[in-house]
Amino acid sequence: MISERLQDAINDQITFEIASGIIYKAMAAYFASEDLPGFSSWMETQFQEELFHSEKLAEYVNDAGGRVRYLAMEAPNNDYDSPLQAFETALQHEQLVTSRINNLMMIARDENDFAAQICLQWFVTEQVEEEASFGQIIAELKRIQDDGRGLIMLDRELGQRTFTAPAGE
Ligand code: FEO
């Protein structure tokens, strides 16, 4: 059975993942207002990913005999100066998520909770992918700079992304 300390720490992350989703939902609205439907759709998919992360943690707490509790969330930022600024903000946010997941892993290790470590390992790996995908788009945006044609092409490319839950979920 999950300890109260770890349960509370994971509960905090369960809400934080939803709050992360709301940040990306607000970015999707910003991109829609900038007539960048592909960027907007990419962020909508990211919103869905974050809800999936929250659900995955909630399922674990339930399965481990704990109690899921949702907490208050901060309002997201709704305005950005440029696509690059939005993505740089997103990457910084993902780096924060990574440090929070690492912290959960440290608590699970401290408590010799092996099942929780296995669950959290998925998130450790996922965060490597999350940071890489935001970093990749930042690199492309920097290369494009003020080239409108490049931005339109990237918008089309990003619009291809769809959400699919990992196999076995
Ligand atoms: Fe759920 Fe993007 O971290």
Side-chain angles (χ1 to χ4, degrees), residues 114-138:
F114 302 113
Q117 287 175 50
I118 290 167
C119 170
L120 291 168
Q121 185 60 51
W122 184 90
F123 285 89
V124 170
T125 308
E126 174 72 0
Q127 280 312 115
V128 175
E129 279 179 32
E130 293 271 87
E131 288 192 30
S133 69
F134 282 100
Q136 173 72 29
I137 294 166
I138 287 170

Side-chain angles (χ1 to χ4, degrees), residues 17 20 24 46 49-50 53 94 97 123 127 130 134:
E17 295 286 348
S20 304
Y24 300 134
Q46 191 61 36
E49 283 235 350
E50 301 305 346
H53 295 166
E94 286 303 323
V97 174
F123 285 89
Q127 280 312 115
E130 293 271 87
F134 282 100

Side-chain angles (χ1 to χ4, degrees), residues 9-76:
I10 295 181
N11 268 331
D12 201 41
Q13 189 62 22
I14 288 169
T15 295
F16 199 82
E17 295 286 348
I18 297 173
S20 304
I22 300 294
I23 289 171
Y24 300 134
K25 186 86 176 156
M27 286 184 182
Y30 158 73
F31 284 122
S33 77
E34 292 289 309
D35 296 320
L36 290 167
F39 278 86
S40 181
S41 162
W42 193 97
M43 281 296 176
E44 287 284 351
T45 303
Q46 191 61 36
F47 164 67
Q48 288 170 0
E49 283 235 350
E50 301 305 346
L51 296 187
F52 172 77
H53 295 166
S54 181
E55 281 302 308
K56 188 173 172 78
L57 287 171
E59 218 171 275
Y60 178 76
V61 169
N62 273 323
D63 288 350
R67 171 75 163 90
V68 174
R69 286 194 170 83
Y70 292 90
L71 307 165
M73 285 185 282
E74 264 184 51

Side-chain angles (χ1 to χ4, degrees), residues 103-157:
N103 187 51
L104 290 178
M105 184 62 109
M106 280 192 277
I107 297 173
R109 288 175 73 159
D110 191 43
E111 303 205 336
N112 290 329
D113 187 330
F114 302 113
Q117 287 175 50
I118 290 167
C119 170
L120 291 168
Q121 185 60 51
W122 184 90
F123 285 89
V124 170
T125 308
E126 174 72 0
Q127 280 312 115
V128 175
E129 279 179 32
E130 293 271 87
E131 288 192 30
S133 69
F134 282 100
Q136 173 72 29
I137 294 166
I138 287 170
E140 290 183 36
L141 283 169
K142 282 184 175 165
R143 223 172 285 137
I144 287 169
Q145 289 187 342
D146 293 329
D147 173 9
R149 235 175 79 103
L151 194 63
I152 288 169
M153 283 174 66
L154 182 57
D155 188 62
R156 285 196 187 133
E157 186 192 320

